[in-house]
Amino acid sequence: MVRHDISQRRACRLVSVDPKTVRREPEPDNPEIRVRMRDIAGERRRFGYRRIGLMLEREGIEMNHKKLRRLYREEGLAVKRRRGRKRATGTREPMAMPSGPSKRWSLDFVADTFGASRRFRILAVIDDYTRECLALVADTSLSGGRVARELDAVIRLYGKPDLVVSDNGSELTSRAILEWQNESGVGWHYIAPGKPQQNGFIESFNARLRDELLNEEVFDSLGAARKALAIWRHDYNNVRPHTALGGIPPAAARGSSELCGGSTPRALAS
C-alpha cells in the first residue's frame, strides 16, 4: 500500500488475504486461563508448562498439552536459567501452626556415605506437632516417585496430614509429587528459596540426626546404615527426651495428645 499507493482492499485482493484479518487486531484466546497461568508462574517460579498444567487440572482446567505449551510461550513464562548463587526471591503464604498430631508434616533429605565413599541419601519425615520421626528412608537414589510411595506408606501408619512442608528440591517439585498431591488431596507448602529457617522443625531434626548418629558411626554397607537408622529412630521417638516437649519423648507426646482429645497438652505449649 505504501510502495504502490493502492487501497487496502486492492492490496488484500492482490495477495489473497481477507481484509478482516488486516483490519481487526487478533484477541488473545482463553484470557482467564492466561491470567491463572501467570499467577501460578509467579508463585512457583521454577515450574514449567507441564507442572503448571497439573496445577490447572487440580482446579478443573484441562487442555491439550500442545495448546498449553503455546499459551505458556506466548505469555513469556519460560523458566529463567539461574546464574550465580541462589538467592531468595520472596516469601509465600504463611503457615498456620498445627493443632494436633498428623496435621502437618515436614520432610527433607540428608546425605551420608557408606563403604568406600559410596554416597546415599536419607528421606526424613517428621510430625511438626509431636516432633515424632515418622520415617527415615535410606537409599542410593530417591526419586519423586519413590518419595510418593514412601509417603503413602507413612499415611497408612499415621493417617493423612493436612499439609506437607518441604524445600524446592527437584524430587519434591517433580511431576510425580504433583500428581500425588492431586490424587491424595494433601496440601503442600514450599518454603522460599534460600530460606531453610522457614522449615525449622526438619532442619533442627536433621542437625540432631547428624550430630548423634551420622557423625558418630561409620557404615560398612547400606544395610548397616538402614539398621542403625531404625535403632536411632526408635530411641528418638520413645526414649530420648525432647526439650521442646517438656522433657518427654515424641511418642509420649502423641499419646498425651490423643488422651486430651487433640487439645494441646502443657508439654507442647510454646
Side-chain angles (χ1 to χ4, degrees):
M1 290 170 57
V2 174
R3 182 173 180 180
H4 299 284
D5 192 21
I6 58 177
S7 66
Q8 184 186 79
R9 183 184 299 275
R10 185 179 179 188
C12 291
R13 186 168 60 251
L14 290 174
V15 296
S16 301
V17 172
D18 191 333
K20 294 179 181 179
T21 63
V22 178
R23 296 169 183 167
R24 179 178 300 176
E25 291 292 334
E27 297 180 359
D29 55 336
N30 305 107
E32 298 84 2
I33 297 178
R34 290 172 183 267
V35 171
R36 187 62 191 131
M37 288 178 67
R38 289 196 297 269
D39 292 341
I40 295 175
E43 297 171 1
R44 305 178 183 273
R45 299 173 180 85
R46 307 307 298 174
F47 276 19
Y49 75 93
R50 292 185 180 89
R51 293 173 184 167
I52 290 180
L54 287 173
M55 301 296 290
L56 293 175
E57 288 180 8
R58 188 182 301 179
E59 301 175 7
I61 303 174
E62 298 185 11
M63 69 181 71
N64 182 279
H65 71 279
K66 295 181 180 179
K67 180 178 180 180
L68 178 66
R69 184 165 183 257
R70 176 177 62 82
L71 296 179
Y72 180 83
R73 296 183 66 179
E74 289 178 357
E75 291 299 315
L77 300 177
V79 178
K80 305 296 187 297
R81 177 178 294 183
R82 286 197 176 107
R83 298 184 181 276
R85 73 178 185 89
K86 181 170 63 176
R87 297 178 181 273
T89 54
T91 59
R92 290 163 174 79
E93 296 179 0
M95 297 182 295
M97 290 300 295
S99 59
S102 294
K103 294 292 185 180
R104 191 179 78 197
W105 296 352
S106 295
L107 56 86
D108 198 6
F109 292 99
V110 184
D112 205 77
T113 59
F114 68 89
S117 299
R118 181 78 185 276
R119 293 182 63 83
F120 71 97
R121 306 181 73 196
I122 304 167
L123 171 65
V125 185
I126 67 168
D127 188 311
D128 288 354
Y129 183 80
T130 64
R131 311 298 202 275
E132 189 174 9
C133 178
L134 308 181
L136 284 176
V137 182
D139 212 331
T140 54
S141 176
L142 291 169
S143 63
R146 174 71 180 280
V147 172
R149 293 194 297 271
E150 295 297 340
L151 287 176
D152 285 333
V154 177
I155 287 175
R156 286 193 292 270
L157 293 175
Y158 296 96
K160 185 186 297 186
D162 296 336
L163 185 68
V164 175
V165 184
S166 75
D167 59 18
N168 296 267
S170 58
E171 302 89 351
L172 305 178
T173 57
S174 63
R175 185 182 184 91
I177 290 297
L178 292 176
E179 290 177 347
W180 181 84
Q181 295 175 32
N182 290 340
E183 294 171 0
S184 65
V186 176
W188 202 289
H189 179 89
Y190 292 103
I191 65 173
K195 296 288 185 180
Q197 61 269 26
Q198 293 183 5
N199 202 5
F201 292 117
I202 193 67
E203 293 294 338
S204 176
F205 173 82
N206 291 345
R208 303 286 78 74
L209 173 62
R210 187 167 296 282
D211 182 59
E212 299 176 11
L213 176 66
L214 301 183
N215 290 345
E216 296 292 322
E217 299 288 341
V218 177
F219 307 117
D220 297 328
S221 64
L222 183 60
R226 288 171 173 169
K227 182 178 180 180
L229 287 168
I231 295 173
W232 185 86
R233 174 174 171 258
H234 180 272
D235 180 81
Y236 179 86
N237 286 337
N238 298 278
V239 180
R240 180 186 183 277
H242 203 299
T243 55
L245 303 177
I248 64 175
R254 176 181 288 273
S256 299
S257 177
E258 291 174 353
L259 290 176
C260 294
S263 61
T264 305
R266 180 182 300 274
L268 294 181
S270 58

